[in-house]
Amino acid sequence: MPAWLLYTIGVLVFAVGLLLSIALHEIGHMVPAKKFGVKVTQYMVGFGPTLWSRTKGDTEYGLKAVPLGGYIRMIGMVPPRPDGSRSRWPRRMATAIEDFRQVSRSEVEAGDEERQFYRLTPGKKMIVMLGGPTMNLIIFLVLFTILVTTFGMPDIRPTTKVASVSKQVQCADPNRADIDLCSKVPVTAPAYGKLQPGDRLISVDGTPITSWNQLVKIIEPSAGRTLSLVVDRDGTRQTLSVTPVKNVKYVDSSLKKTKVAGFLGISPVEQRFYQSVGLTGVPGKIGGQVKLGVDALGSYPGKLKSLWETVFDGRKRDPNGAIGVVGISRISGDFARSTALDVKDKIYVLLYLLASVNLLLFFFNLLPLLPLDGGHVAGALVEAGKRGRARLRARHDPEAARARPPIFVDTAQMLPVMYAVASVLIVLTLLTLYADIVKPVNIG
């Protein structure tokens, strides 16, 4: 199959999967809303011009041209303005808020008074608004569980076969090394000119070598001592003498701590495989992915600097920096056409990318900022708190409690916050879109 066709399939698989995720997210909002009696006038996947729509009952179902999100339209999202109330915002902003309120409430017809969203109890409001993110979480859980129980978790195991031989001794961190260990004059690596890529280690000083870690444990304490290595080279066994030198090496893959140890200057051929996971091990793996998702969301603000430098200063794109839907779609295509992966690897990667995006959408939508779902949940919590406080006061003054009108949080007053958050999201979307098109992340 041509590479361009594989690339296209990879992009389409991710795009369709993302559209289905968006559609299910909005269903997560719509189903409980209708269950609680709210009138839902629109269910749309995408933004912009409508490509297709069909009306069934009170709801118009449709697909729009820009597949970067979706929405449902519920009547009465904001309450009417209380009689005699005054806005705390300056006049122009207060006018904008009332214009927004009027547009928002324009679909409320006679007989729909009890079908407005704002009239729901705080608990029901939270269920409706959490329905979307919860659907993203369910998609992640289903996809990830299928992956780890059918494929397993991808892992890498170093073999006893040599992949490369260093020409010179190089310190892990020269700034933290002794001058004798990291000389400014290049020192030839002990294995250079003796071992070759493709050699398979058989034994060291008569000890059979069955794993790379076993070899490392023998080499590291043997600096300055000549070792006898038996290798298999093209089917023929050869005996070589090498003397490890002292060097500064990293302690582990975290690349944070170093140690002084024997060094030969060889690296292993790595074998990729899938580590099977039983059902009892799935919760732990899910917990690890959740932690990665939280860390990714928490580190996102720090990634915006590199994105800004890429767009405005022309710097090289950070492969671990911020990336958008277009960028992830291109990565999906790159994986699909890669010659280094087999079909199983490609299926795993595409499903894993889709699962990861749904997990991030779950966390992102929970941020307590309007117009995100978490912002509406925060408003419902505030409303619940005010109602609870009013009930406590009612114990001391029942008459006043009966005369008191129902308490609703006026989310329309948060219009300036919604504008600010929406503006930031639009700018970030445009920046990532530009970077994903002009300087895309390449997987290598």
Side-chain angles (χ1 to χ4, degrees):
M1 193 177 293
W4 67 267
L5 183 56
L6 289 172
Y7 180 88
T8 303
I9 291 174
V11 172
L12 289 177
V13 166
F14 178 79
V16 171
L18 184 61
L19 274 178
L20 290 175
S21 299
I22 293 171
L24 290 172
H25 175 100
E26 298 307 327
I27 287 176
H29 289 309
M30 183 179 68
V31 170
K34 288 193 170 187
K35 185 70 175 178
F36 295 144
V38 177
K39 184 177 180 179
V40 180
T41 58
Q42 278 191 319
Y43 167 89
M44 291 289 170
V45 177
F47 299 110
T50 301
L51 300 178
W52 170 87
S53 71
R54 181 181 179 182
T55 300
K56 184 177 180 181
D58 295 325
T59 310
E60 177 191 10
Y61 301 86
L63 183 66
K64 291 183 173 287
V66 185
L68 295 179
Y71 65 92
I72 65 167
R73 190 183 298 278
M74 298 178 286
I75 68 169
M77 284 293 291
V78 297
R81 181 177 179 179
D83 295 336
S85 66
R86 297 181 59 184
S87 176
R88 297 179 180 179
W89 296 98
R91 181 181 300 176
R92 289 186 179 181
M93 184 57 67
T95 301
I97 290 172
E98 295 311 314
D99 290 342
F100 167 74
R101 190 193 306 277
Q102 184 177 357
V103 172
S104 177
R105 298 188 52 77
S106 62
E107 292 183 306
V108 180
E109 300 174 350
D112 289 340
E113 287 78 9
E114 299 300 321
R115 302 185 65 187
Q116 301 179 75
F117 174 80
Y118 88 89
R119 296 185 69 88
L120 293 178
T121 64
K124 290 181 178 180
K125 287 180 181 178
M126 285 187 278
I127 291 174
V128 171
M129 300 316 299
L130 289 174
T134 300
M135 190 64 75
N136 290 121
L137 179 61
I138 292 173
I139 294 172
F140 160 74
L141 292 174
V142 171
L143 289 178
F144 188 74
T145 300
I146 291 174
L147 285 176
V148 298
T149 54
T150 58
F151 289 77
M153 289 293 289
D155 205 346
I156 297 176
R157 177 189 295 124
T159 67
T160 57
K161 192 174 185 179
V162 177
S164 63
V165 181
S166 301
K167 185 176 181 179
Q168 298 173 347
V169 176
Q170 295 180 343
C171 286
D173 188 349
N175 295 325
R176 288 183 286 177
D178 297 329
I179 191 66
D180 293 333
L181 299 179
C182 289
S183 174
K184 293 182 180 179
V185 179
V187 177
T188 302
Y192 183 72
K194 296 183 179 181
L195 288 166
Q196 297 179 6
D199 288 349
R200 185 167 62 88
L201 278 299
I202 303 297
S203 66
V204 177
D205 284 350
T207 301
I209 300 299
T210 58
S211 69
W212 186 262
N213 289 336
Q214 180 192 11
L215 176 67
V216 171
K217 289 180 180 179
I218 294 175
I219 298 300
E220 287 189 341
S222 301
R225 183 167 67 88
T226 301
L227 302 175
S228 176
L229 273 62
V230 177
V231 302
D232 183 318
R233 180 176 297 170
D234 298 327
T236 303
R237 293 198 174 190
Q238 298 188 19
T239 302
L240 309 172
S241 296
V242 293
T243 304
V245 297
K246 282 187 178 182
N247 192 19
V248 175
K249 301 170 61 178
Y250 284 114
V251 173
D252 51 37
S253 59
S254 66
L255 307 183
K256 294 181 179 180
K257 296 182 179 180
T258 58
K259 63 181 178 180
V260 176
F263 176 81
L264 279 185
I266 57 176
S267 62
V269 172
E270 295 180 326
Q271 177 187 13
R272 291 183 295 109
F273 67 101
Y274 289 90
Q275 182 70 46
S276 61
V277 178
L279 287 176
T280 56
V282 172
K285 299 300 181 182
I286 289 175
Q289 294 299 307
V290 169
K291 183 178 184 302
L292 288 175
V294 173
D295 291 342
L297 189 63
S299 63
Y300 187 79
K303 296 178 179 181
L304 297 181
K305 180 182 178 182
S306 64
L307 178 65
W308 183 273
E309 292 173 344
T310 296
V311 174
F312 294 102
D313 297 338
R315 296 193 178 184
K316 187 177 179 180
R317 185 77 181 272
D318 180 4
N320 297 314
I323 189 170
V325 173
V326 172
I328 300 176
S329 298
R330 296 184 70 160
I331 288 177
S332 300
D334 288 338
F335 273 115
R337 69 179 175 185
S338 171
T339 57
L341 303 176
D342 58 24
V343 175
K344 182 178 180 180
D345 293 331
K346 293 175 182 180
I347 294 174
Y348 186 97
V349 169
L350 291 176
L351 291 179
Y352 181 79
L353 282 175
L354 191 57
S356 300
V357 167
N358 273 279
L359 181 61
L360 289 177
L361 287 174
F362 166 72
F363 286 120
F364 178 73
N365 278 287
L366 290 183
L367 294 176
L369 298 170
L370 289 169
L372 301 178
D373 298 333
H376 291 283
V377 173
L381 288 172
V382 172
E383 184 174 299
K386 289 185 174 181
R387 290 189 177 193
R389 185 173 59 183
R391 282 194 295 269
L392 291 176
R393 292 178 177 175
R395 295 179 180 180
H396 305 288
D397 192 352
E399 292 296 330
R402 283 191 288 270
R404 175 182 54 79
I407 295 176
F408 300 107
V409 169
D410 188 4
T411 51
Q413 295 297 330
M414 297 301 292
L415 183 66
V417 176
M418 285 190 273
Y419 280 166
V421 174
S423 298
V424 171
L425 293 178
I426 291 172
V427 170
L428 291 179
T429 299
L430 293 176
L431 288 178
T432 52
L433 178 63
Y434 175 84
D436 289 342
I437 295 175
V438 177
K439 291 186 176 182
V441 172
N442 296 313
I443 63 172

